[in-house]
Amino acid sequence: MDFHATDDAVTRRIRYFSERERKAKENDLYFYNQPIEEIKGGSSVVVRGREMGMYASYSYLGLIGHPRINAAAKAAVDRFGTGTNGVRLLAGTLTIHTELEETIAAFKHAEAAVTYSSGYATNLTVISTLMGRGDYVISDKLNHASIVDGCLMSGAEFRRFKHNDMDELEKRLQQVPDGVARLVVADAVFSMDGDVLDLPKTVELCRKYSAWLMIDEAHSIGVLGKTGRGIEEHFGLDDGIDIKMGTLSKTIPSVGGYVAGRQELIQYLRHASRAYIFSAALPPAQTAAANEAFKVILDEPWRVGKVNANGRQFIDGLKAAGFDTLQTTTAIVPVLCGTDERAYELTQACQHKGLFVLPVVSPAVPEGMARLRATVTAAHEPEEIAHAVEVIANAGKEIGIIA
Ligand SMILES: Cc1ncc(COP(=O)(O)O)c(C=O)c1O
């Protein structure tokens, strides 16, 4: 059966996409939605019967499948079942939700925390609840799409500043009319480039211009700071971020998002943010898994050291081979290829050699800046990383990305 509308703009958009997908598949250049049949020890996966080294995971501390976390999830199912009775505000709050929120607040040195069903929903709902028409949101140009969508949804004046450029941030703040509410929002570790926000300067500017500050720690929890508590620990600041946002789907092997901050702010969000009021609570198993994961991070600090050592080895190896890895200092490592075609070619060559890596192309990154966005985790061993570097370097030479 065909669509009801056979030739309107929507149908044409869908058809255009289908054609691109068909061609990519025909040329063995479609890398998305690969079915992972098995997760092997954190550093490799089985895809269509073939074991591959995993270099596209956000499970930075290798916690997927951790026995304590699995046990906590199973116990929660036995106690609470698999679902909740509805939205949090009415009948959906379980004691395990409250426990998780207390754990997050303690981990982030905040008075309180609130959770939502995804990191994406968290950014959307928190930004659009706090900010509205007439207010100003000022966002780093490389911020994640969920932040951008939250800013647009808020209806506030949306201003962007050049990536991590503190002079531009100051200019944007100076342009806000007197007496108008303003929010500065940024990733802690940028998801495409892997570099770290200049938090001390950002905090200083927010204080100077009386702006709210929201930081998204999707890629910094478990990675930054000696004990993995994130960007404030990394810079030795314990105060300065008003809205400490994060996800429960990367380092924390669960699903969901959170915001931690002052009790009054969190209580307001519990009664005003639509993703809390009109959407179901996190399932018990995922809530308990997340709660246990924060405790495991503190009990097993070697994982934080290992992901960072692995990141350094990976970056140094790729740089020595001649690749441009931009400004990354973390576990997210962009391997610049130039054109989209070259990124596809490098991905294809690496995948044929058993590395699970993915390309990031325009419009997700500017044209000419297409790349592999490879990641390492605490589950990798140094020999595995050395092998991955060798595979990427050999393929890069063959394709002509490096000499
Ligand atoms: C910086 C950043 N924020 C938010 C999200 C959304 O989080 P979630 O996957 O939990 O919806 C992501 C996910 O990719 C992210 O990278």
Side-chain angles (χ1 to χ4, degrees):
M1 227 177 77
D2 210 343
F3 301 123
H4 290 297
T6 50
D7 192 31
D8 67 353
V10 180
T11 315
R12 282 195 295 276
R13 247 176 261 147
I14 295 171
R15 294 266 145 81
Y16 173 73
F17 170 78
S18 303
E19 190 50 21
R20 276 186 65 188
E21 186 189 12
R22 191 188 60 73
K23 276 194 189 142
K25 283 183 173 162
E26 228 172 64
N27 294 314
D28 185 27
L29 291 172
Y30 182 82
F31 308 109
Y32 306 103
N33 298 305
Q34 299 204 39
I36 294 175
E37 290 150 2
E38 204 184 326
I39 296 194
K40 288 207 151 190
S43 66
S44 60
V45 292
V46 178
V47 179
R48 298 187 185 90
R50 191 162 72 107
E51 188 166 339
M52 302 178 82
M54 181 46 140
Y55 292 87
S57 169
Y58 303 119
S59 181
Y60 295 116
L61 296 183
L63 293 180
I64 292 178
H66 192 291
R68 267 176 64 185
I69 299 172
N70 283 5
K74 287 174 190 163
V77 172
D78 289 343
R79 185 166 171 207
F80 294 109
T82 54
T84 56
N85 292 305
V87 302
R88 284 289 300 277
L89 194 67
L90 304 176
T93 297
L94 304 172
T95 49
I96 186 71
H97 290 126
T98 314
E99 240 180 84
L100 169 61
E101 287 163 351
E102 284 168 5
T103 299
I104 295 171
F107 190 88
K108 287 306 303 170
H109 292 170
E111 287 176 11
V114 56
T115 52
Y116 297 92
S117 57
S118 76
Y120 183 84
T122 305
N123 276 333
L124 232 58
T125 207
V126 170
I127 299 171
S128 65
T129 300
L130 295 176
M131 307 307 287
R133 273 173 179 240
D135 302 331
Y136 275 62
V137 280
I138 304 176
S139 166
D140 186 287
K141 270 204 175 148
L142 292 193
N143 277 347
H144 189 257
S146 54
I147 296 178
V148 175
D149 291 358
C151 294
L152 294 174
M153 193 169 141
S154 74
E157 294 293 324
F158 180 37
R159 300 286 184 270
R160 302 199 304 162
F161 61 96
K162 208 163 119 200
H163 174 50
N164 222 351
D165 183 328
M166 295 297 122
D167 292 335
E168 266 219 11
L169 171 57
E170 181 155 26
K171 277 191 208 132
R172 297 285 166 273
L173 282 162
Q174 284 166 343
Q175 286 159 357
V176 180
D178 286 348
V180 168
R182 62 213 65 180
L183 167 74
V184 173
V185 57
D187 287 2
V189 167
F190 289 86
S191 58
M192 294 291 160
D193 286 24
D195 55 340
V196 181
L197 175 77
D198 182 350
L199 182 69
K201 188 70 190 172
T202 307
V203 168
E204 186 190 313
L205 290 174
C206 286
R207 287 214 173 103
K208 183 169 170 191
Y209 293 94
S210 301
W212 287 78
L213 177 59
M214 175 168 176
I215 299 293
D216 178 334
E217 293 224 80
H219 301 278
S220 53
I221 289 297
V223 176
L224 291 188
K226 199 162 182 295
T227 63
R229 287 177 197 267
I231 192 163
E232 308 101 308
E233 189 183 23
H234 174 79
F235 284 109
L237 295 172
D238 207 31
D239 194 23
I241 304 176
D242 301 295
I243 306 159
K244 304 174 179 203
M245 181 272 167
T247 167
L248 304 175
S249 67
K250 299 188 192 303
T251 291
I252 305 298
S254 183
V255 72
Y258 69 81
V259 158
R262 299 283 301 274
Q263 171 71 36
E264 214 181 340
L265 164 73
I266 300 303
Q267 199 60 2
Y268 173 66
L269 290 172
R270 281 188 203 287
H271 294 83
S273 58
R274 294 167 83 83
Y276 191 91
I277 303 171
F278 295 112
S279 186
L282 285 177
Q286 299 314 123
T287 311
N291 188 43
E292 194 64 22
F294 282 102
K295 295 176 182 169
V296 170
I297 295 175
L298 297 179
D299 291 345
E300 299 180 6
W302 61 266
R303 290 177 183 274
V304 180
K306 194 162 170 206
V307 69
N308 283 297
N310 284 349
R312 272 193 302 278
Q313 182 191 345
F314 197 43
I315 296 165
D316 290 348
L318 290 164
K319 275 190 172 159
F323 283 108
D324 181 358
T325 56
L326 298 177
Q327 306 297 316
T328 183
T329 51
T330 66
I332 299 176
V333 184
V335 184
L336 273 241
C337 300
T339 61
D340 291 0
E341 288 67 31
R342 282 188 154 192
Y344 289 136
E345 274 182 70
L346 186 60
T347 305
Q348 187 186 50
C350 290
Q351 292 218 359
H352 285 175
K353 293 273 180 206
L355 290 195
F356 193 116
V357 286
L358 285 170
V360 182
V361 297
S362 62
V365 290
E367 280 204 28
M369 299 282 279
R371 64 196 68 179
L372 297 190
R373 183 180 43 165
T375 52
V376 286
T377 74
H380 289 111
E381 294 306 329
E383 315 78 75
E384 293 176 311
I385 295 173
H387 171 70
V389 169
E390 194 183 318
V391 169
I392 299 170
N394 286 342
K397 273 183 208 146
E398 265 170 43
I399 296 162
I401 298 168
I402 52 172

